[in-house]
Amino acid sequence: MALIQETDYGTPHILAKTQVTLEIDGKPVTVPAGTSIMRAAVESGVPVPKLCATDSVEAFGSCRLCLVEIEGRKGTPASCTTLAEPGMKVRTQSPKLARMRRGMMELYISDHPLDCLTCSANGNCELQDMAGVVGLREVRYGYDGANHLQPGKDLSNPYFSFEPSKCIVCSRCVRACEEVQGTFALTIQGRGFASKVSAGGTDFLSSECVSCGACVQACPTATLIEKSVTEKGQGDRSVVTTCAYCGVGCSFKAELKGNEVVRMVPYKDGKANHGHSCVKGRFSWGYATHKDRILKPMIRAKITDPWKEVSWEEAIGHAASEFKRIQAKYGRDSIGGITSSRCTDEETYLVQKMIRAAFGNNNVDTCARVCHSPTGYGLSNTFGTSAGTQDFDSVNDADVILVIGANPTDAHPVFASQMKRRLREGARLIVIDPRRIDLIKSPHVQAQFHLPLKPGTNVAIINALAHVVVTEGLVAESYVKERCDVAAFELWRKFIAEERNSPEAVEAVTGVPSADVRAAARLYATGGNGAIYYGLGVTEHSQGSTMVIGMANLAMATGNLGRRGVGVNPLRGQNNVQGSCDMGSFPHEFSGYRHVSNDAVRVSFEQAWGVPLQGEPGLRISNMLDAACDGTFKGLYVQGEDIVQSDPNTKHVSAGLAAMECVVIQDLFLNETASYAHVFLPGSSFLEKDGTFINAERRIGMVRKAIPPMAGYADWEITIKLSEALGYPMHYSHPSEIMDEIARMTPTFAGVSYEKLERLGSVQWPCNEKAPEGTPIMHIGSFVRGKGRFMITEFIATDERTTDRFPLILTTGRILSQYNVGAQTRRTENNVWHSEDVLEIHPWDAENRGIREGELVSLTSRAGDITLPARISERMQPGVVYTTFHHAMTGANVVTTEFSDWATSCPEYKVTAVQVQPAKRLSEWQEHYKEAKRRTTQILSQTGAD
Amino acid sequence: MNAEHMIHNANQIALYFSSYPREEAVAGVLDHLKKYWERRMKDQIIQYVAQGGAGLHELVVDAVKRLDVPQKHATPR
């Protein structure tokens, strides 16, 4: 595909029911009321010269190039700031306009370097284009006067450069930072001739800039430009694909020269991101070609042996024969596998199919087990389906936004920008979080309420909010009567109204002032459209599922479901965590969340797959590890997942893996789990294959192969090879055929096909006969399960308790610049922002322990101990400490415990009782890790050299 | 799974359902074990209850008594 040049309409699209018709250069044009003349002209195929206008930001009217003439009006108004009106007659070209535009361009060019031939933006520069459009042939003023041509660049940001001499001070970057990203890091410093773009008076790296790339995207010149473009030149082809980082699922254009990616540019037609991006998707793709990629299959007899590179045939044959040997010796259920939320739907579907059909058991699980499995349990039991209720754009209609246990500006930054835009427009914000997250107070955003609860008391808080709704007469009675199971509601109403659930009664437990809880509940219940957004701070608790149910209860009780602007919305962690769940990755259900014990469903799969299938659930990941330690589980196939680094209680995970006889890892890198593997199958990045990802709003987005698989095969092809070697051949020549099978076998996907995805760009499931183009908003009119089901949510404190020995509570999470186990982002320049995990601790707790900023501290729990640097931070409340798990060497999960959600076994990452003390050396585990890592990752080359 | 871990997991399930009327609560625990516990785990808890079920929540004990009897694992393929 050639390089895609998207049309820039100059000003944003307007949503309005009223249409206006005007005439532009003699052609009638009809547009929504409120549309600029510039946009109306471009939509009708009439380009208008411009420099300061771009359709991602509001019109500014400073460059004076887009002037037009309007019949009956004096002067030459700017078409970007003048709105289309009925009957208007506009001329975009006249001798007078041409003279004026040429004059403006003379002024711009008189103060611009004339280095077009060697400029990085050559061929993609709007200033250059406009010089051509207006017919600039000379600059009468010369180039000797006062100017801004001083040499010098700001190269501090690892991904883009800032060259002020090329700046025309159009303010597009400043406005993009404000309006698109919402960070307000850039400004115009000085006045008049001295005006210049500034990153708050410092360099970009030291500024508030979050490297989202919106300014680079908006810049019409080479002032702000990707370093990769400066280094490699402009791309010559584009491939539209879906980002492989978080669950927002941004659409990107991969721009390439041959098979080398030059840059990733957010795609304007992407319905999840509307042309916006974050530092990870926009810039942090270098891992895909990092030298650490393993490109040859490898095997070894023992995990203490060096790896030996072998052919694909030998590696696949060895893995299959080992799995068969193990099953012959220990039984059919002695092996299993883990699907990946980083891989495509089609790949995930194939892995679970291979396990059920070729392994002959249901021992399949996925990394959603350790993040959003409680979402599936809670929402399916209350609403009838395991997914969020809204599309992202629904937030534009929200009046009250309730963010619980989520940190969107770090973990879901592109959606956070959309949310912040709505907040700047006037929506009100309630945040329930132990930490003072950035969203609570950021430029032009201020939460009405922050309820800083103690970790582990979510259910007490949600019950207290519901208590206020029920006891203060704020229940949407008619909604509940019409839409919900009334008997279940009455049982719940009686329970929740009990005094022990009141804000006053739970204040001592939660630490949140009861008056704030009452006021927040009133605001959510009466403030208009109330929308709940939540993250892993909800799910990763021993009562994770109960809390999801609690949120569903609250939304139903207030009637905040089934229309735009409301809903219960999980912010999914990984790019395809929704899809991996949808595809039947859990041990108890087939694709589309249908239990394996459902005879009709199972028989349909048996007929389609031609083998008998088990009707009992298989093992969850944690159960597999337990069974391995017990000696009944001996073999594991892991696609794109690193359970040693990401799952809790590393020592237990390691012990389980070490007890197995054959562990097969399919991944890009020799990850931590690979240290316990016997077969390594080199996987492919998202750039190297076709398929689909499903984001947090149930949107199925296309992943398109931009370059050939570096190791020879896409992941789906590798699974097919393994399955065939196991004696169960699967016949697909392209992922579209896998999706066709998914559609045949899964009612909620019945209408999905690659042809439709190509035609519509993306589609949100359910997509079937009832909703042929998908379902942006769920539960309109009635719930998927029929009547909404209220369930009782008794608060039960976790068994993980603080004591004199472990007096602090540790919560873990992620930050903006790193992603999960860091396998991708640690292999990029993002390390400039976060090169190691640190322990955030409140000043009081630090002072009590004699801990100073940056010094090493030991972090000890009942499970284990690690050492890491301290960061003293008032984001934390006293008694609570926080760290990330991005770096393997830190071993954050050495400390976390095996306590987990009662319903789904989702680990309780958010509550670990710990002690923190000054330290001088690494922990014993960390010392052991360094040595073990060196020993278990040695590779013998084909010549036998180490 | 070690017994302590199994008891803790099962009791956590019982604690959730204990807010419901007793028969509904037992049915809830039973349904949960049926839907989400693998055969080995079911067999283990059935045997544990048969041996007295020390430390198990009474709802678990009642639910486990209604679980299917242990079956022999399928023959290796």
Side-chain angles (χ1 to χ4, degrees):
Chain A
M1 184 184 282
L3 201 65
I4 296 172
Q5 298 286 3
E6 293 161 281
T7 302
D8 186 345
Y9 295 90
T11 61
H13 174 61
I14 297 294
L15 287 172
K17 287 181 182 160
T18 317
Q19 301 282 307
V20 297
T21 299
L22 68 163
E23 197 179 287
I24 298 176
D25 292 345
K27 278 170 56 178
V29 183
T30 301
V31 292
T35 300
S36 69
I37 291 175
M38 174 182 281
R39 185 169 184 114
V42 178
E43 283 186 7
S44 68
V46 178
V48 182
K50 66 179 183 60
L51 277 173
C52 73
T54 186
D55 57 14
S56 62
V57 294
E58 295 297 330
F60 195 52
S62 77
C63 77
R64 314 305 296 166
L65 276 191
C66 71
L67 308 178
V68 292
E69 293 173 345
I70 302 172
E71 193 175 292
R73 295 199 188 180
K74 288 182 180 171
T76 50
S79 64
C80 64
T81 53
T82 308
L83 302 186
E85 291 176 18
M88 218 177 218
K89 292 189 175 173
V90 177
R91 277 208 304 176
T92 68
Q93 301 292 344
S94 73
K96 180 183 173 188
L97 290 170
R99 274 197 308 277
M100 293 174 76
R101 288 171 182 156
R102 202 175 298 128
M104 289 309 302
M105 282 306 298
E106 272 189 276
L107 288 168
Y108 277 119
I109 299 300
S110 71
D111 191 7
H112 194 82
L114 299 177
D115 61 351
C116 291
L117 289 179
T118 55
C119 178
S120 302
N122 191 14
N124 190 17
C125 171
E126 292 181 42
L127 188 68
Q128 191 179 45
D129 293 346
M130 288 305 109
V133 164
V134 304
L136 185 71
R137 300 292 175 257
E138 61 172 344
V139 175
R140 291 167 293 169
Y141 310 111
Y143 304 97
D144 299 331
N147 59 50
H148 301 82
L149 301 180
Q150 297 82 355
K153 292 183 185 180
D154 177 355
L155 299 170
S156 60
N157 186 288
Y159 295 116
F160 60 84
S161 58
F162 173 59
E163 188 171 358
S165 66
K166 293 187 171 171
C167 181
I168 59 171
V169 201
C170 64
S171 292
R172 275 164 60 162
C173 57
V174 176
R175 289 178 287 142
C177 190
E178 293 174 0
E179 297 175 32
V180 178
Q181 167 57 27
T183 293
F184 294 75
L186 303 183
T187 189
I188 298 293
Q189 195 177 51
R191 302 176 71 175
F193 190 76
S195 302
K196 61 176 184 180
V197 169
S198 168
T202 182
D203 63 46
F204 269 78
L205 188 63
S206 310
S207 74
E208 299 287 314
C209 169
V210 293
S211 294
C212 68
C215 57
V216 181
Q217 178 85 345
C219 182
T221 70
T223 308
L224 285 157
I225 194 163
E226 299 89 345
K227 288 181 177 176
S228 58
V229 171
T230 302
E231 183 187 327
K232 299 171 183 173
Q234 303 282 339
D236 52 30
R237 66 184 178 100
S238 308
V239 177
V240 177
T241 191
T242 303
C243 180
Y245 278 112
C246 79
V248 177
C250 295
S251 193
F252 275 90
K253 291 182 296 180
E255 292 188 355
L256 302 104
K257 281 171 96 79
N259 283 332
E260 185 178 27
V261 177
V262 170
R263 64 175 178 172
M264 298 287 286
V265 184
Y267 190 46
K268 280 205 304 191
D269 280 350
K271 294 186 178 71
N273 59 317
H274 303 296
H276 189 35
S277 58
C278 78
V279 61
K280 294 190 283 288
R282 179 75 154 93
F283 296 118
S284 317
W285 38 267
Y287 71 87
T289 52
H290 194 274
K291 62 180 175 53
D292 287 353
R293 279 283 298 269
I294 302 293
L295 301 177
K296 290 185 179 161
M298 304 187 295
I299 61 172
R300 60 184 175 185
K302 300 194 298 290
I303 61 173
T304 48
D305 291 345
W307 286 103
K308 179 185 161 200
E309 292 177 348
V310 296
S311 67
W312 276 103
E313 290 69 27
E314 187 175 349
I316 294 283
H318 180 70
S321 72
E322 277 296 278
F323 283 148
K324 285 195 265 192
R325 178 188 65 78
I326 290 169
Q327 283 191 305
K329 185 173 176 184
Y330 299 103
R332 182 177 59 178
D333 298 333
S334 60
I335 64 172
I338 300 174
T339 75
S340 173
S341 293
R342 285 157 53 198
C343 287
T344 64
D345 294 312
E346 294 76 5
E347 288 164 343
T348 305
Y349 179 85
L350 283 200
V351 172
Q352 63 90 32
K353 176 176 178 177
M354 182 186 74
I355 289 165
R356 297 187 203 281
F359 287 10
N361 62 47
N362 288 322
N363 292 334
V364 56
D365 208 357
T366 189
C367 49
R369 172 69 53 213
V370 299
C371 64
H372 264 291
S373 49
T375 290
Y377 185 90
L379 297 186
S380 63
N381 275 284
T382 49
F383 302 157
T385 194
S386 299
T389 61
Q390 312 295 116
D391 62 3
F392 286 141
D393 285 351
S394 166
V395 78
N396 299 336
D397 293 298
D399 299 309
V400 179
I401 297 171
L402 176 51
V403 176
I404 310 178
N407 188 8
T409 54
D410 279 28
H412 304 87
V414 170
F415 176 65
S417 291
Q418 191 172 6
M419 182 187 278
K420 286 200 288 188
R421 190 156 54 243
R422 180 61 186 157
L423 292 167
R424 291 197 301 274
E425 288 170 354
R428 288 170 292 177
L429 174 67
I430 302 164
V431 174
I432 303 178
D433 201 292
R435 293 191 303 150
R436 207 180 65 217
I437 59 171
D438 290 347
L439 192 61
I440 290 167
K441 191 172 187 332
S442 61
H444 304 280
V445 170
Q446 170 81 58
Q448 270 61 41
F449 297 100
H450 173 211
L451 310 184
L453 77 176
K454 291 178 187 166
T457 63
N458 284 344
V459 172
I461 276 284
I462 205 76
N463 283 350
L465 290 167
H467 176 91
V468 175
V469 169
V470 164
T471 57
E472 295 191 5
L474 304 178
V475 170
E477 299 285 353
S478 59
Y479 178 92
V480 170
K481 191 173 173 188
E482 182 193 338
R483 298 285 307 273
C484 302
D485 178 330
V486 174
F489 170 71
E490 291 301 338
L491 192 64
W492 174 80
R493 188 205 290 260
K494 192 175 163 205
F495 156 75
I496 211 75
E498 290 175 23
E499 179 56 25
R500 63 198 172 89
N501 289 319
S502 71
E504 292 73 22
V506 302
E507 184 172 328
V509 175
T510 65
V512 181
S514 55
D516 287 353
V517 176
R518 284 195 177 273
R522 290 168 193 146
L523 176 59
Y524 173 74
T526 65
N529 286 337
I532 296 175
Y533 293 89
Y534 71 96
L536 304 183
V538 159
T539 56
E540 291 176 342
H541 287 275
S542 62
Q543 281 202 290
S545 292
T546 314
M547 179 61 182
V548 174
I549 292 167
M551 295 186 304
N553 289 339
L554 183 66
M556 286 190 288
T558 51
N560 277 312
L561 288 159
R563 63 179 188 278
R564 301 199 69 76
V566 297
V568 179
N569 304 283
L571 294 172
R572 296 278 189 165
Q574 300 204 56
N575 52 313
N576 199 33
V577 69
Q578 179 71 54
S580 70
C581 297
D582 299 339
M583 292 300 108
S585 291
F586 287 131
H588 63 279
E589 59 195 10
F590 294 112
S591 59
Y593 305 99
R594 292 159 304 154
H595 202 273
V596 293
S597 64
N598 181 323
D599 290 339
V601 172
R602 194 176 63 259
V603 165
S604 73
F605 277 99
E606 287 177 339
Q607 287 172 347
W609 295 351
V611 287
L613 300 170
Q614 288 207 30
E616 274 207 277
L619 294 165
R620 295 171 173 175
I621 294 174
S622 52
N623 303 142
M624 292 181 201
L625 296 165
D626 289 340
C629 290
D630 292 345
T632 65
F633 190 86
K634 293 288 185 181
L636 186 66
Y637 170 52
V638 186
Q639 185 180 76
E641 174 72 349
D642 189 359
I643 59 174
V644 170
Q645 194 179 333
S646 64
D647 285 26
N649 195 348
T650 307
K651 290 175 185 170
H652 179 64
V653 176
S654 303
L657 288 167
M660 296 182 198
E661 295 182 6
C662 181
V663 175
V664 178
I665 299 292
Q666 186 171 316
D667 209 292
L668 303 182
F669 305 106
L670 271 179
N671 61 21
E672 302 310 306
T673 309
S675 294
Y676 297 87
H678 307 83
V679 179
F680 187 91
L681 305 173
S684 51
S685 76
F686 77 113
L687 292 167
E688 299 158 42
K689 56 195 176 188
D690 291 310
T692 56
F693 292 152
I694 303 176
N695 74 356
E697 47 169 4
R698 296 170 278 103
R699 184 180 301 286
I700 309 167
M702 294 293 290
V703 179
R704 293 185 178 87
K705 185 158 81 174
I707 58 176
M710 290 175 65
Y713 296 106
D715 290 284
W716 61 274
E717 295 174 294
I718 301 168
T719 304
I720 287 173
K721 283 181 174 295
L722 181 58
S723 189
E724 184 167 14
L726 286 162
Y728 185 77
M730 298 196 276
H731 305 288
Y732 307 98
S733 60
H734 188 268
S736 62
E737 296 169 10
I738 307 171
M739 181 54 85
D740 290 343
E741 179 174 317
I742 294 164
R744 278 197 305 278
M745 302 303 299
T746 317
T748 43
F749 283 71
V752 180
S753 68
Y754 274 36
E755 180 277 322
K756 184 176 285 184
L757 292 171
E758 291 285 359
R759 182 160 45 84
L760 300 179
S762 61
V763 69
Q764 290 169 272
W765 69 260
C767 173
N768 47 29
E769 208 170 78
K770 278 188 189 167
E773 298 204 345
T775 311
I777 307 290
M778 299 282 286
H779 314 301
I780 295 175
S782 68
F783 287 96
V784 168
R785 72 180 302 279
K787 297 286 187 185
R789 178 188 178 200
F790 284 84
M791 294 172 72
I792 292 180
T793 52
E794 187 77 62
F795 169 63
I796 298 163
T798 172
D799 287 328
E800 177 71 1
R801 305 284 168 87
T802 54
T803 61
D804 287 346
R805 194 171 159 217
F806 301 111
L808 304 173
I809 295 175
L810 168 74
T811 74
T812 64
R814 67 168 84 150
I815 60 158
L816 172 67
S817 56
Q818 297 285 358
Y819 178 71
N820 278 13
V821 296
Q824 295 148 287
T825 47
R826 275 190 281 112
R827 293 179 171 95
T828 69
E829 297 293 329
N830 284 22
N831 290 333
V832 75
W833 291 286
H834 184 92
S835 59
E836 60 183 353
D837 297 315
V838 297
L839 185 79
E840 291 188 44
I841 184 167
H842 189 273
W844 296 355
D845 293 323
E847 190 178 345
N848 282 344
R849 291 164 173 76
I851 292 167
R852 285 181 293 194
E853 176 76 17
E855 288 184 349
L856 282 181
V857 293
S858 67
L859 176 68
T860 310
S861 74
R862 294 178 184 91
D865 67 290
I866 58 170
T867 301
L868 70 173
R871 175 173 297 158
I872 297 170
S873 164
E874 292 193 352
R875 285 208 311 172
M876 310 308 302
Q877 55 177 276
V880 180
V881 294
Y882 171 85
T883 191
T884 48
F885 60 101
H886 300 309
H887 294 267
M889 180 63 199
T890 309
N893 281 316
V894 170
V895 176
T896 54
T897 71
E898 287 176 273
F899 285 126
S900 62
D901 174 44
W902 66 270
T904 65
S905 306
C906 181
E908 192 169 41
Y909 292 112
K910 303 299 186 189
V911 185
T912 306
V914 294
Q915 178 58 291
V916 179
Q917 305 213 294
K920 294 210 178 304
R921 60 184 69 85
L922 294 178
S923 73
E924 192 179 325
W925 180 89
Q926 287 165 319
E927 291 289 359
H928 171 76
Y929 167 83
K930 275 202 298 189
E931 170 55 22
K933 185 72 180 173
R934 187 194 62 74
R935 205 176 54 242
T936 57
T937 55
Q938 290 178 324
I939 300 172
L940 284 177
S941 73
Q942 282 169 326
T943 59
D946 198 347
Chain B
M1 188 188 306
N2 73 45
E4 194 184 341
H5 194 185
M6 176 192 71
I7 293 165
H8 186 262
N9 283 1
N11 286 352
Q12 290 285 104
I13 297 164
L15 279 175
Y16 174 76
F17 288 104
S18 64
S19 306
Y20 283 88
R22 183 175 176 80
E23 196 47 39
E24 209 175 324
V26 174
V29 176
L30 176 62
D31 182 58
H32 195 93
L33 296 178
K34 276 185 175 174
K35 273 186 176 164
Y36 302 111
W37 279 36
E38 197 250 6
R39 186 74 252 172
R40 266 168 284 195
M41 297 160 65
K42 287 177 190 155
D43 289 353
Q44 185 184 358
I45 201 164
I46 288 169
Q47 283 173 13
Y48 189 77
V49 168
Q51 291 162 4
L56 282 174
H57 194 288
E58 58 182 351
L59 291 176
V60 177
V61 174
D62 283 2
V64 169
K65 285 177 180 167
R66 299 186 203 175
L67 263 179
D68 303 340
V69 292
Q71 296 174 346
K72 281 189 176 175
H73 293 301
T75 49
R77 286 148 59 104

